Amino acid sequence: MTIEMTRTASVRRGSSFLRIAIIIQTLTIFLQAVSAGLLLTASYGETLHSVGARVMYGASMLYVLAAVLAWKPGGGSPRPVWHASGFLVLASIQVVLGIAHVPSVHLPLGVLMFGLSVLALTRSPGLDQGRQG
């Protein structure tokens, strides 16, 4: 196996991990929207939303890790690292706003985060790999 083949395999693995991390993040943000609705209608909604916030924050950290791993060893673009870091900042702000009970900013920021996560998913590497070949 040549060095180039090894590097290509490493880039492919990093891209796959990055894509999985973005999918997990997008799903957790969507589930936060669902649990926010339950927060208004069910007794267990607050607990579900609180646990979901921790999971969503962890998913944002996983996104940063995946972006760094896709960039550094594989020699890919550092752009996903900046996107993932920005997401972690938004997630941090979102958590603070939720704890402070500021729904006038917390809810729109959640919608923005979901939209940006879907956008990152559509732009993630490997989206069209199945069509090639």
Side-chain angles (χ1 to χ4, degrees):
M1 189 181 280
T2 68
I3 294 173
E4 187 61 35
M5 291 172 69
T6 304
R7 181 172 287 153
T8 301
S10 176
V11 168
R12 195 171 294 141
R13 272 193 307 275
S15 295
S16 295
F17 182 43
L18 180 60
R19 184 157 172 74
I20 290 167
I22 297 170
I23 289 169
I24 291 169
Q25 175 183 268
T26 304
L27 287 173
T28 60
I29 293 171
F30 178 76
L31 292 174
Q32 278 302 91
V34 171
S35 70
L38 290 173
L39 183 70
L40 302 172
T41 59
S43 61
Y44 57 87
E46 184 175 354
T47 302
L48 192 60
H49 197 67
S50 178
V51 169
R54 289 166 176 79
V55 174
M56 183 276 302
Y57 196 77
S60 294
M61 289 190 282
L62 180 68
Y63 180 20
V64 172
L65 175 65
V68 169
L69 291 176
W71 165 56
K72 213 46 172 158
S77 170
R79 182 175 287 166
V81 176
W82 289 108
H83 293 170
S85 298
F87 238 102
L88 188 58
V89 168
L90 289 176
S92 299
I93 293 168
Q94 185 71 331
V95 168
V96 169
L97 291 169
I99 291 170
H101 300 287
V102 185
S104 61
V105 183
H106 182 75
L107 292 172
L109 182 57
V111 172
L112 175 67
M113 287 175 65
F114 179 71
L116 290 174
S117 193
V118 169
L119 182 63
L121 184 58
T122 61
R123 292 183 172 190
S124 68
L127 185 62
D128 58 355
Q129 281 180 349
R131 289 185 233 144
Q132 293 177 356

